[in-house]
Amino acid sequence: AQRVTQPEKLLSVFKGAPVELKCNYSYSGSPELFWYVQYSRQRLQLLLRHISRESIKGFTADLNKGETSFHLKKPFAQEEDSAMYYCALSNSYGQNFVFGPGTRLSVLP
Amino acid sequence: DGGITQSPKYLFRKEGQNVTLSCEQNLNHDAMYWYRQDPGQGLRLIYYSQIVNDFQKGDIAEGYSVSREKKESFPLTVTSAQKNPTAFYLCASSILGPNTGELFFGEGSRLTVL
């Protein structure tokens, strides 16, 4: 069965500290992996996807097929990174999206 | 201004009443989706549609109904059969095709049943 897990409901770090939001998935086949972010009072939006291999707002995520993980990382957290983060997957045709339960990141001053 | 528009933002309903949430997109996207967002449960798929006049049940379709008479519109009706309708509802759309997957979301509609 397709499933996305995010073990941390809440993650608190201090400004300037490294942050890693964990995401694991189960999928039969080759999924596309995404991170979506929801800032306070803003709509849910795409942060990054694994096929782009790009860094957005200092965040990166590496797909580890062996560990079926897609952890989101940033070396130095900023207060404006505080938000709700969702890991998600789809098939290669952009169908059948599955979302994880989300991790709320709180960056403390 | 392109995007997805959901209305109303806030809605109150008495028990036993049906209510319809509107979702319109002018992005010319093929697919449209309705999700329910509850704290600690992430986004759960209610219904989706990949083409006009066709739609499929998601994981939690019971107590909900949809229609897709036009490409740009995908209204969701929360019926009185939905046992726990108080929630935040998100509509999304996407292009279908290889390596195109990205969901574009509306601002959401918060339904409260009194």
Side-chain angles (χ1 to χ4, degrees):
Chain A
Q2 303 169 33
R3 191 179 178 194
V4 176
T5 58
Q6 294 177 249
E8 303 126 336
K9 285 188 176 179
L10 174 65
L11 183 63
S12 296
V13 300
F14 285 103
K15 176 183 174 181
V19 63
E20 181 180 48
L21 286 80
K22 291 184 167 53
C23 171
N24 288 89
Y25 66 91
S26 60
Y27 189 86
S28 55
S30 295
E32 292 197 21
L33 274 297
F34 307 84
W35 277 99
Y36 281 81
V37 61
Q38 190 170 28
Y39 301 103
S40 179
R41 301 183 187 280
Q42 294 188 29
R43 63 181 72 196
L44 192 60
Q45 59 188 288
L46 179 68
L47 178 62
L48 55 78
R49 67 179 93 181
H50 88 274
I51 60 172
S52 300
R53 296 182 175 275
E54 54 190 348
S55 173
I56 304 294
K57 298 184 178 183
F59 284 98
T60 59
D62 292 321
L63 178 60
N64 186 323
K65 293 184 178 180
E67 296 182 358
T68 58
S69 68
F70 188 56
H71 303 328
L72 183 68
K73 300 177 183 179
K74 185 170 182 176
F76 308 103
Q78 303 300 314
E79 289 182 69
E80 54 264 30
D81 296 328
S82 295
M84 193 73 178
Y85 290 81
Y86 292 96
C87 183
L89 62 76
S90 75
N91 65 14
S92 59
Y93 201 69
Q95 299 170 309
N96 302 331
F97 279 88
V98 177
F99 282 81
T103 297
R104 181 168 296 282
L105 174 65
S106 178
V107 181
L108 307 171
Chain B
D1 186 22
I4 300 179
T5 302
Q6 289 185 240
S7 63
K9 281 191 176 182
Y10 301 95
L11 188 61
F12 297 88
R13 183 194 96 179
K14 292 182 179 179
E15 280 192 24
Q17 290 181 336
N18 292 355
V19 62
T20 297
L21 308 179
S22 170
C23 179
E24 303 277 331
Q25 55 102 357
N26 59 5
L27 301 169
N28 199 33
H29 284 175
D30 307 302
M32 296 187 74
Y33 310 79
W34 275 105
Y35 288 91
R36 173 175 169 144
Q37 188 178 27
D38 294 288
Q41 298 194 55
L43 276 69
R44 292 183 291 168
L45 182 63
I46 304 172
Y47 269 98
Y48 66 99
S49 168
Q50 298 184 6
I51 193 170
V52 174
N53 292 323
D54 187 53
F55 46 83
Q56 306 296 327
K57 291 183 179 180
D59 301 319
I60 56 166
E62 185 176 350
Y64 300 98
S65 66
V66 293
S67 64
R68 187 88 185 274
E69 297 177 1
K70 300 185 295 183
K71 187 176 184 178
E72 57 271 21
S73 179
F74 192 43
L76 173 74
T77 297
V78 185
T79 76
S80 56
Q82 168 50 232
K83 295 179 181 178
N84 187 20
T86 294
F88 191 63
Y89 292 89
L90 282 171
C91 180
S93 69
S94 71
I95 299 172
L96 293 176
N99 301 322
T100 60
E102 176 184 350
L103 291 174
F104 291 81
F105 286 90
E107 292 184 309
S109 294
R110 186 170 297 281
L111 172 63
T112 302
V113 175
L114 304 173

